[in-house]
Amino acid sequence: MVWLPSEIWSERRFSGLPSAVAGDAAFRVFCTPAISERRAANHHQLTERARYHLRNAHWERLETPVGEVQTYVFEPDLQIADDIVLIVHGWTGESSFMTAMAEAIRRSGFRVALFDLPAHGLSSGRSTNLIDCARATVSVAEQLGPVHALVTHSFGGLISLVAAEGHAPMQGKLETKHIALIASPNHLSDVTDHFSRHWELDRDGRRAFEHRLERLGGRSLDCFAAVKLLPASGLSGLVIHAPDDADVPFRCAEEIVDSVPDMELHSFNGMGHRNILFASPVARTVTSYLKRTVQRQPAENRVYQPAAANAPAASASA
């Protein structure tokens, strides 16, 4: 757990602290998913139920440059492509929350890989950040890939785009051509703005906090935006969002498709920020797109073969 003075915990705010102290404390809280203001109060109950749906996956722990991560691979009944579809969950989430989407993609003929980001789920660590999560994503892709496409939720979208862009301080990049951004923010500054308002950071405290993030990322906060990362990574695909999303405004999706011609917008009202992951129309949109990307490949590059039998599934306590 991140250490903070008791008065900060009791009042859940940084106001009144010297800017340097507030910025440092805010950075540490921001990088600790377990105490995020975005995590549901019943998170542990939700994960206990959700992990049941990982029982048929092949479980494996992989070493990455930022620690061990827990991975899960689902094999299709009839495989239509050699490469995997890599699913990346959002901040404070874990792979188990993405299993409904994973199952739809698996049934459509793709080998599907998921993993718990550092300091999330069953992966190691108690704190993490955008760059380390991107490094872990690249490492998982290198070990389980090649990657045909990325399917992401929420902050997992920005993580995946940083991984696919590969700009320093990244030490490699994730190679793929296709992505589905579900409920993704556009600018990292939108995320830090929400965090700063929640924790009552004043202007100087917020600037000190964001400066810590900029030093970590090696460039200004403005560089971490989907509208800049997408063209730099050469990805194309889908932007899926609900107009009633209370966590990430729908305008983020509109900004992305307005600025990046190769991205298609699909709107699903009434789904919110999390239920969108369990909606059948959303899954059909994603799987339809993935199938189209396979059909666009030259015939000699397509693969149609039965999948190998699943390895015995590990228990949730693995």
Side-chain angles (χ1 to χ4, degrees), residues 219-230:
R219 48 187 165 156
S220 72
L221 218 62
D222 291 342
C223 295
F224 296 97
V227 293
K228 295 183 178 179
L229 295 167
L230 276 165

Side-chain angles (χ1 to χ4, degrees), residues 158 185-192 222 224-227 251-252 255:
L158 282 180
N186 179 15
H187 295 277
L188 178 58
S189 58
D190 289 338
V191 180
T192 59
D222 291 342
F224 296 97
V227 293
R251 63 169 172 78
C252 294
E255 291 168 359

Side-chain angles (χ1 to χ4, degrees), residues 18-29:
S19 60
V21 175
D24 181 65
F27 176 79
R28 285 183 284 152
V29 170

Side-chain angles (χ1 to χ4, degrees), residues 11-12 54 63 65 81 87 94 97 104 106 109 116 124 142 166 190 194 227 245 268 273 276 308:
E11 300 184 32
R12 304 292 290 180
L54 292 167
E63 287 286 351
I87 296 182
E94 60 172 68
F97 297 162
R106 186 199 71 81
D116 294 334
S124 65
E142 290 174 344
D190 289 338
H194 177 279
V227 293
D245 189 326
F268 294 90
H273 187 68
I276 198 167

